[in-house]
Amino acid sequence: MRVRDAVAEDWPLIWPFWHEIVAAGDTYAWDPRADEATARSLWMAPGSRVFVVEDPEAAGAPDRIVASASVRPNYGGPARTVANAGFMVSPAHAGRGIGRLLATHVLDEARRDGYTAMVFNAVVETNPALRLWQSLGFTVLGTVPAAFDHPRHGPVGLHILHRFL
């Protein structure tokens, strides 16, 4: 697997799994009915640095991009050194260590880019990726109780996570 900066031509390969993940409505606080244009504006927004994980064994195949992350400042002005990021691994490629590979790469790149910390503003407390983030040194700063209407569990909390870089 190879992690690299995304280019505009990668979006059509990110969109299918972005859509699948967000439409499931169980891990992201974005509208599950978001159309492609809205999704692209959220993920590839100006000021964001986007990464992809490419599977070299699937070169030329429509699913050669198996994961993506989008990083941007969480705040502006004097607090602009705190990053925020979103991570998605194609469900068809889950459980292969791709999320950890992407996360460690992004954390290193964020540090190189001058960020001093990273926060996640809304991690659904039932999200299996929570274990990954905690294993990488993120701590739960707080939880907004019953803030997320999970399709299977009903109202669940949203964690705010933090880690110094």
Side-chain angles (χ1 to χ4, degrees):
M1 299 288 162
R2 179 172 82 109
V3 183
R4 62 171 174 80
D5 283 279
V7 295
E9 293 77 26
D10 291 326
W11 175 251
L13 302 175
I14 298 169
W15 163 245
F17 64 83
W18 192 103
H19 176 67
E20 181 180 356
I21 292 165
V22 173
D26 57 1
T27 56
Y28 272 88
W30 288 330
D31 185 350
R33 298 163 301 178
D35 62 23
E36 186 174 358
T38 300
R40 186 178 188 146
S41 71
L42 288 166
W43 203 252
M44 310 280 282
S48 297
R49 184 170 177 198
V50 179
F51 299 90
V52 294
V53 178
E54 194 170 38
D55 183 349
E57 295 190 15
D63 68 342
R64 75 177 181 273
I65 302 294
V66 297
S68 184
S70 180
V71 182
R72 65 187 55 93
N74 193 62
Y75 312 106
R80 70 184 167 279
T81 63
V82 177
N84 177 262
F87 291 80
M88 292 191 185
V89 175
S90 168
H93 297 275
R96 297 172 49 197
I98 295 168
R100 181 172 294 279
L101 170 73
L102 180 58
T104 57
H105 180 86
V106 168
L107 291 169
D108 288 343
E109 288 298 305
R111 188 178 311 104
R112 280 189 205 93
D113 288 345
Y115 291 109
T116 59
M118 186 173 286
V119 297
F120 299 141
N121 299 311
V123 177
V124 178
E125 67 184 0
T126 57
N127 187 336
L130 182 58
R131 287 187 308 275
L132 170 64
W133 300 125
Q134 290 174 317
S135 77
L136 291 171
F138 282 86
T139 58
V140 176
L141 294 180
T143 304
V144 182
F148 186 88
D149 189 16
H150 195 282
R152 289 182 308 283
H153 304 296
V156 298
L158 288 174
H159 292 315
I160 301 162
L161 301 183
H162 172 268
R163 181 196 148 158
F164 285 110
L165 300 176

